[in-house]
C-alpha cells in the first residue's frame, strides 16, 4: 500500500512539473553558456543537476524538493563562473574588476542570486533534478543594468585621442544618403563581444566610445547589438528606427574587443554621424563570424 502511494505521489509530481513547464514553452530552454554567444542571444542560461540525499529516509516530495535545491546550487555556481568570464574591454574580465572592487564583487554576487529559474524537472525514478536559470544581458535587471553604473567609474581614461578628420570634409551633395545606423562586418577577424566594444580609426583614434553614451541607453542596448548576419543586423537596427544603416567592413581588431576601420571609412562614419547622431544612440551592430 505504501509503495503504491509513493508511486502515485511521484507520478503526481512529474505530471505537475510537466504541466507547469508546458506553460513555459513545453520544454527546457536552449543553454547559452558562452559569454560571446550570450551577447547575441541577450541572455545567459545554464543548467544544474542534483540528486536527492540518500543518507536518510525521505518522502517523495522531500526528495524532489532537495534534488531541485541541489540542482539550483550547481546552476548558480556555473552561472557565477560564466559571469566572471564576461569581457569588459580588451583582456579585462568581470572577474578582474571584481578582484579590484568589493562593490563590483557584491554586484556580481547579487546578479547570481537574482537569477531566475526558468525551467525545472524532477525524475522520481532516478531521484535526480535538473534546474535551468537565466540572467538577461540588458535592461535594468540584467547584467548591463547591474554592472555598468559600477564599472564605468572604474575604467581608466582612454589612451588614444578622439577621432577628428585630418581635413574638413567637403559638403555632401544633396543626393548623398543620410545614414542612421552603423553595421560593422568583423567576420574576417577574431572579435570578442564585451561590455565596452569601441570603434577605432586606422591610426588608433577613437571613433566610437560606448562609455560616452548616455547610461540609460547603454543599459538598454549595450555597446550595440551582436549577430552573425548583415541582414539580421539591418533588422535589429530597424527595430531601433534606423532605416538606412552604413555597412563597413573592419580592417582589424585591437585587443580582441576594439574594431578598427580604414581611414576612409572612419571619415564616412564621422560625417554621417554628424547628421544623425547614431553613435550617441548606440545604433551599432557588430557582425561576428
Amino acid at each position: 500500500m505504501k509503495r503504491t502511494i509513493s508511486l502515485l505521489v511521484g507520478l503526481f509530481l512529474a505530471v505537475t512539473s510537466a504541466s507547469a513547464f508546458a506553460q513555459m514553452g513545453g520544454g527546457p530552454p536552449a543553454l547559452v553558456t558562452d559569454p560571446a554567444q550570450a551577447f547575441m542571444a541577450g541572455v545567459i542560461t545554464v543548467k544544474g543537476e542534483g540528486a536527492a540525499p540518500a543518507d536518510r529516509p525521505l518522502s517523495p516530495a522531500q526528495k524532489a524538493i532537495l534534488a531541485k535545491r541541489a540542482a539550483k546550487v550547481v546552476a548558480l555556481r556555473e552561472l557565477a563562473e560564466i559571469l566572471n568570464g564576461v569581457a569588459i574591454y580588451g583582456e579585462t574580465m568581470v572577474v578582474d574588476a571584481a578582484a579590484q572592487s568589493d562593490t563590483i564583487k557584491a554586484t556580481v554576487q547579487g546578479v547570481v542570486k537574482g537569477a531566475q529559474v526558468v525551467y525545472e524537472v524532477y525524475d522520481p525514478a532516478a531521484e535526480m533534478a535538473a534546474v535551468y536559470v537565466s540572467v538577461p544581458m540588458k535592461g535594468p535587471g540584467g547584467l548591463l543594468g547591474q554592472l555598468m553604473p559600477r564599472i564605468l567609474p572604474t575604467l581608466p581614461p582612454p589612451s588614444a585621442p578622439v577621432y577628428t578628420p585630418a581635413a574638413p570634409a567637403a559638403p555632401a551633395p544633396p543626393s548623398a544618403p543620410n545614414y542612421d545606423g552603423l553595421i560593422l562586418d568583423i567576420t574576417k577577424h577574431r572579435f570578442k563581444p564585451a561590455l565596452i566594444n569601441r570603434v577605432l580609426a586606422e591610426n588608433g583614434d577613437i571613433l566610437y566610445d560606448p562609455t560616452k553614451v548616455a547610461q540609460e541607453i547603454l543599459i538598454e542596448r549595450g555597446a550595440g547589438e551582436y549577430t552573425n548576419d548583415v541582414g539580421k543586423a539591418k533588422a535589429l537596427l530597424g527595430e531601433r528606427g534606423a532605416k538606412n544603416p552604413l555597412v563597413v567592413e573592419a580592417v582589424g581588431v585591437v585587443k580582441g574587443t576594439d574594431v578598427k576601420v580604414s581611414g576612409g571609412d572612419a571619415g564616412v562614419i564621422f560625417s554621417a554621424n554628424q547628421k544623425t547622431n547614431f553613435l550617441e544612440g548606440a545604433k551599432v551592430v557588430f557582425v561576428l563570424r
Side-chain angles (χ1 to χ4, degrees):
M1 181 67 177
K2 289 183 178 179
R3 178 177 174 80
T4 302
I5 292 174
S6 296
L7 289 172
L8 288 173
V9 170
L11 179 62
F12 171 77
L13 289 171
V15 170
T16 301
S17 296
S19 174
F21 302 148
Q23 296 176 6
M24 289 188 265
L31 295 177
V32 184
T33 59
D34 178 72
Q37 291 297 317
F39 279 94
M40 287 197 283
V43 66
I44 299 173
T45 303
V46 301
K47 172 187 176 183
E49 294 181 329
D55 59 345
R56 57 189 183 277
L58 296 167
S59 69
Q62 289 173 320
K63 289 180 179 179
I65 291 171
L66 293 177
K68 289 177 184 178
R69 184 179 299 168
K72 184 178 180 181
V73 169
V74 173
L76 294 180
R77 188 182 304 124
E78 171 76 6
L79 177 62
E81 292 179 2
I82 293 169
L83 290 180
N84 282 333
V86 171
I88 297 177
Y89 65 95
E91 298 304 317
T92 304
M93 305 292 183
V94 167
V95 67
D96 300 316
Q100 299 297 322
S101 168
D102 289 338
T103 299
I104 293 175
K105 181 178 180 180
T107 301
V108 174
Q109 292 172 344
V111 172
V112 173
K113 291 179 181 178
Q116 296 296 309
V117 174
V118 293
Y119 186 93
E120 60 181 18
V121 65
Y122 176 69
D123 180 354
E127 298 182 350
M128 290 284 297
V131 172
Y132 293 69
V133 299
S134 285
V135 168
M137 293 296 291
K138 300 177 182 179
L143 184 65
L144 289 174
Q146 297 297 310
L147 278 182
M148 280 299 191
R150 292 156 180 80
I151 282 179
L152 289 178
T154 71
L155 297 179
S159 57
V162 175
Y163 173 84
T164 53
S175 59
N178 284 326
Y179 297 112
D180 52 6
L182 176 62
I183 296 173
L184 292 155
D185 183 348
I186 327 166
T187 52
K188 294 182 179 179
H189 307 278
R190 295 182 65 85
F191 170 79
K192 182 168 55 181
L195 298 185
I196 305 298
N197 285 119
R198 301 183 305 174
V199 180
L200 310 178
E202 206 159 9
N203 64 357
D205 289 355
I206 300 173
L207 187 61
Y208 170 56
D209 183 358
T211 65
K212 308 304 180 186
V213 173
Q215 188 167 287
E216 61 270 20
I217 295 176
L218 198 58
I219 289 171
E220 178 191 352
R221 302 180 184 177
E225 303 282 358
Y226 303 84
T227 184
N228 55 8
D229 179 80
V230 172
K232 293 178 182 177
K234 291 179 179 179
L236 288 169
L237 284 174
E239 295 173 3
R240 304 294 186 188
K243 304 301 182 185
N244 187 36
L246 172 63
V247 182
V248 171
E249 186 172 321
V251 297
V253 172
V254 179
K255 295 183 179 178
T257 60
D258 289 345
V259 180
K260 183 176 283 190
V261 300
S262 70
D265 283 334
V268 174
I269 294 170
F270 180 87
S271 297
N273 186 64
Q274 293 291 102
K275 295 181 180 180
T276 56
N277 297 315
F278 52 83
L279 294 180
E280 286 74 8
K283 294 181 180 180
V284 179
V285 183
F286 301 89
V287 181
L288 293 63
R289 12 169 123 166

